Amino acid sequence: MKATAENTEGHAARAWNVTAEAQAIEQWRNAAAAATAELGGDADAVAIVRLGVSELLSNVAKHAEDKTCRLTVRVEETWVYVHVYDTSRQAPALTTPAWDAESGRGLWLLNSMVTDWGYECRADGKAVWFRAPLNATAKEPKPAPSRAAGARRVNFATVAVDDNVIYLGQKRRIVALVQTRTGYVVQFADATALHVVCPPDVCEIDGCTVRLDDIADGACFWCGTARRLVSVGRYATASGTSHTVYACTGCIATRGLVPLASRGGVDTRIRYRSRSAR
């Protein structure tokens, strides 16, 4: 067993060409766990990587006709990313297992432990990935205060059609966002697609996919200013808390936004006076 040291855009990584067989999975999960620790991961990160690699390689062993795949462990900023590339185009399915089920809990458990995960279907197969904090001090990076187009990494921050994002080391333009029961499918201009599995506190505001926790408190959602703010929307989370969307008076005028105060507090979604005002 030999690990290939990689350096992708300045990020430390380890990679292996793997044959996903049941008897070899322990070997590869131990290798990935050791690499995570070597790259600075704490005990929690090592445990999550160990579990995740076991699940992803088990899926290849069970469902892929060709058992050869590539396993990578990469550290980027305060996160550890794990990718498994294989030649099967069958997408992983997340289901809630019955309480007495003897199998089918791996992906469900992984989903509850990682920060996010997803997959990308390609002409020659697919890539399944997940990420987790590298250590206890890692925090979710905050989005930029405005939504100006630029290269941003795919996460739960605001993204919109025509944005350019960096995904799997390449700059790609988003051509479509499709909401699904479990998250969003991001379609890129090069015909690749990414399924982002999101927590329930994700919605679409003004054509952008937004995690409610990322809505700035006390700032205009559109331009980021903190002056002359008016509430124009309120979104409740699954836990029962709510997040208010603010707009400055300038954005209210130019975009034709309808303030909450003029709607009696019943209709709390973002509304517009006319489509042309946007």
Side-chain angles (χ1 to χ4, degrees):
M1 177 180 67
K2 183 178 180 180
T4 302
E6 295 187 342
N7 191 294
T8 305
E9 293 188 341
H11 307 300
R14 301 289 184 272
W16 303 264
N17 292 320
V18 174
T19 300
E21 298 174 332
Q23 63 270 24
I25 289 177
E26 182 176 3
Q27 171 190 2
W28 298 118
R29 72 186 179 195
N30 288 342
T36 302
E38 190 178 301
L39 294 171
D42 63 10
D44 287 341
V46 169
I48 291 172
V49 168
R50 191 187 302 272
L51 170 68
V53 168
S54 296
E55 174 57 23
L56 299 190
L57 292 184
S58 293
N59 282 344
V60 175
K62 291 176 183 177
H63 304 296
E65 184 175 344
D66 181 359
K67 310 301 181 185
T68 59
C69 57
R70 186 165 178 82
L71 166 66
T72 67
V73 176
R74 186 180 87 251
V75 168
E76 184 175 335
E77 297 177 346
T78 57
W79 302 96
V80 56
Y81 290 79
V82 174
H83 289 76
V84 171
Y85 305 85
D86 68 87
T87 59
S88 170
R89 300 198 69 194
Q90 181 179 348
L94 176 65
T95 59
T96 301
W99 68 271
D100 57 349
E102 296 183 359
S103 62
R105 296 182 182 275
L107 194 56
W108 174 80
L109 181 59
L110 180 65
N111 179 61
S112 68
M113 296 178 67
V114 300
T115 303
D116 45 75
W117 71 279
Y119 64 89
E120 176 193 12
C121 290
R122 302 173 169 183
D124 59 349
K126 69 177 181 297
V128 185
W129 61 270
F130 66 86
R131 73 164 178 163
L134 189 63
N135 50 59
T137 61
K139 296 181 179 179
E140 179 75 19
K142 294 295 183 181
S146 70
R147 295 182 294 135
R152 296 202 299 273
R153 301 194 179 277
V154 176
N155 52 33
F156 291 142
T158 304
V159 291
V161 172
D162 290 330
D163 272 3
N164 292 307
V165 298
I166 295 174
Y167 176 62
L168 295 180
Q170 295 184 20
K171 186 175 179 179
R172 306 168 189 250
R173 183 173 64 87
I174 296 175
V175 295
L177 287 169
V178 181
Q179 187 170 10
T180 68
R181 184 177 62 84
T182 58
Y184 285 85
V185 173
V186 181
Q187 181 71 51
F188 295 107
D190 61 1
T192 59
L194 165 69
H195 185 203
V196 181
V197 178
C198 302
D201 298 341
V202 175
C203 65
E204 184 174 292
I205 298 177
D206 197 18
C208 288
T209 306
V210 181
R211 189 176 68 170
L212 297 179
D213 287 342
D214 288 334
I215 297 176
D217 185 22
C220 176
F221 178 78
W222 285 267
C223 70
T225 185
R227 299 180 59 191
R228 304 177 69 181
L229 299 177
V230 177
S231 59
V232 293
R234 186 175 296 113
Y235 293 81
T237 68
S239 62
T241 60
S242 64
H243 294 263
T244 301
V245 180
Y246 293 97
C248 67
T249 53
C251 287
I252 288 176
T254 57
R255 295 177 176 273
L257 297 163
V258 181
L260 277 179
S262 64
R263 289 185 262 155
V266 177
D267 178 10
T268 60
R269 297 272 166 168
I270 300 292
R271 300 298 178 196
Y272 302 86
R273 290 193 176 86
S274 68
R275 300 295 295 181
S276 61
R278 297 175 62 183

